[in-house]
Amino acid sequence: MKNSEQLYKALQNRILILDGAMGTMLQRYKFQEEDYRGERFKDWEHPVQGNNDLLSLTQPEAIEEVHRKYLEAGADILETNTFSGTTIAMADYHMEGLVYELNYESAKIARKVCDEYTVKNPEKPRFVAGSIGPTNRTASLSPDVNDPGYRAITFEELRLAYKQQSEALLDGGSDILLVETIFDTLNAKAALFAIDEIQEERGIEIPIMVSGTITDASGRTLSGQTAEAFLISVSYLNLLSVGFNCALGANQLTPYLETLAHNSEFCVSAYPNAGLPNAFGQYDESPEQMATQIKEYVEKGLINIIGGCCGTTPEHIKAIAELVEKYEPRKVVLSF
């Protein structure tokens, strides 16, 4: 991977900034069904509104604009617009056949913008993280309360879907593969298995970020793992980072990041929501409030990579970037 050396060097020197929410920003465009369809899909037989990944094909200027805003705010790492970019998730829109193209084009958009900013400031190289979401199926749990042994998806189906997505993200120019918002570690293991296969087949080492999600105050993932159990479950691969994102605000995430920081040899990442959602599902936490809470992470030396999830905007990322600039990253030996 051509940019890996720069990436590891940057991680040794400073806390890297991941971007904020893509969905939050896209909501501002108020795209309607016809916007999602564009000219190419105007006669598609099924509704497509809400398929944000499709916008990489039908509204690429908007995706590029969001990426630019996050880079302007100080982001070092851009996530591709591919959170639902598997055949499993795209089945909702009957668009499984578009998966390779969606991921490839999304990665190309992010790559183009990152390269522009790296040329402007070679001292601050920008990196593309191929976003690999959890899919809308779970390999560990039954969706049918009356049949606890039933599974809506198999490990092999997940592996194939994740492999197709990962290959397209790499072909499009991703520096990192980010397996994120993990609520079921078995799903994540299918993704990691697929990525490891690609490493072997292509003879490359892929920087892999893994990010779980703690779903409630019990401090567990949806499939029932504590932060420590989650860490142990994914640590068999040589990862770039392990961390948590989504579900909780910055404040609530602190004890789980402490667990990772004290027990992991990898870099630690965090990208919390802008607080907890209000009664209308909106996120109210201001950039200043969020940065104040993240101050605890850096004062305790818990993190190497920091960004934002649901409800965060370029303003949030700017406030976070300005805060962490004054702090050293968590000490870690990168063995790549």
Side-chain angles (χ1 to χ4, degrees):
M1 303 289 286
K2 63 175 182 175
N3 293 332
S4 295
E5 200 176 318
Q6 285 183 309
L7 175 62
Y8 305 139
K9 189 177 170 189
L11 279 164
Q12 299 281 22
N13 294 332
R14 57 195 170 87
I15 296 169
L16 294 193
I17 307 297
L18 190 67
D19 60 6
M22 174 61 77
T24 299
M25 295 299 290
L26 290 176
Q27 283 171 10
R28 296 180 174 185
Y29 289 86
K30 297 184 165 50
F31 287 137
Q32 301 302 309
E33 179 73 29
E34 60 268 25
D35 302 307
Y36 278 86
R37 288 173 176 267
E39 186 60 30
R40 179 173 167 187
F41 300 101
K42 68 178 195 304
D43 298 323
W44 197 256
E45 291 178 0
H46 308 278
V48 295
Q49 188 168 354
N51 185 356
N52 283 351
D53 295 26
L54 182 63
L55 296 172
S56 292
L57 302 183
T58 57
Q59 303 290 340
E61 300 83 3
I63 304 302
E64 198 174 305
E65 187 175 40
V66 172
H67 283 330
R68 283 181 196 285
K69 284 179 177 171
Y70 279 123
L71 291 181
E72 286 293 338
D76 298 288
I77 304 170
L78 281 185
E79 286 192 59
T80 56
N81 179 41
T82 54
F83 186 78
S84 299
T86 55
T87 48
I88 296 159
M90 280 296 141
D92 288 354
Y93 304 97
H94 304 271
M95 288 185 156
E96 298 95 321
L98 290 169
V99 161
Y100 184 90
E101 185 184 2
L102 283 171
N103 285 280
Y104 180 79
E105 292 300 330
S106 294
K108 267 182 70 177
I109 294 168
R111 175 83 273 150
K112 172 191 166 191
V113 184
C114 277
D115 288 348
E116 282 175 20
Y117 277 76
T118 300
V119 168
K120 281 184 202 170
N121 184 3
E123 296 304 304
K124 187 180 164 69
R126 313 299 178 104
F127 306 99
V128 177
S131 167
I132 299 172
T135 82
N136 46 12
R137 305 285 176 89
T138 167
S140 290
L141 303 169
S142 171
D144 182 355
V145 291
N146 298 311
D147 186 359
Y150 172 71
R151 296 292 180 269
I153 194 84
T154 66
F155 185 91
E156 181 61 9
E157 286 168 329
L158 285 163
R159 180 191 72 82
L160 287 170
Y162 283 131
K163 190 170 185 184
Q164 182 188 21
Q165 181 179 26
S166 299
E167 287 178 327
L169 287 168
L170 291 169
D171 293 347
S174 298
D175 302 302
I176 301 160
L177 290 180
L178 168 54
V179 182
E180 64 173 332
T181 323
I182 299 161
F183 57 79
D184 181 348
T185 309
L186 193 54
N187 283 39
K189 283 192 165 188
L192 295 174
F193 189 93
I195 294 166
D196 202 28
E197 274 191 317
I198 296 167
Q199 290 190 125
E200 202 172 315
E201 288 166 8
R202 298 193 178 191
I204 56 173
E205 282 209 34
I206 302 165
I208 306 165
M209 293 176 66
V210 168
S211 185
T213 187
I214 300 290
T215 49
D216 58 37
S218 73
R220 293 172 183 266
T221 64
L222 188 67
S223 55
Q225 285 191 312
T226 61
E228 196 166 6
F230 169 72
L231 173 63
I232 292 164
S233 293
V234 297
S235 291
Y236 61 94
L237 270 185
N238 187 20
L239 303 174
L240 176 72
S241 70
V242 65
F244 289 115
N245 72 291
C246 201
L248 301 176
N251 232 12
Q252 296 89 352
L253 209 52
T254 308
Y256 313 118
L257 291 175
E258 287 180 318
T259 298
L260 296 184
H262 297 153
N263 294 288
S264 176
E265 296 173 3
F266 309 127
C267 292
V268 170
S269 71
Y271 47 117
N273 293 343
L276 296 173
N278 62 26
F280 303 102
Q282 303 296 310
Y283 295 86
D284 301 323
E285 205 162 83
S286 71
E288 295 70 33
Q289 288 170 320
M290 194 171 175
T292 301
Q293 291 172 23
I294 282 169
K295 193 174 183 184
E296 187 178 359
Y297 299 177
V298 289
E299 284 179 341
K300 289 181 173 178
L302 301 180
I303 56 166
N304 305 90
I305 302 168
I306 184 75
C309 205
C310 303
T312 58
T313 64
E315 291 74 31
H316 289 84
I317 297 306
K318 187 169 190 286
I320 292 166
E322 287 171 355
L323 166 79
V324 305
E325 204 173 15
K326 313 174 192 79
Y327 291 87
E328 292 289 311
R330 173 177 161 271
K331 293 291 171 236
V332 63
V333 178
L334 290 170
S335 54
F336 288 89

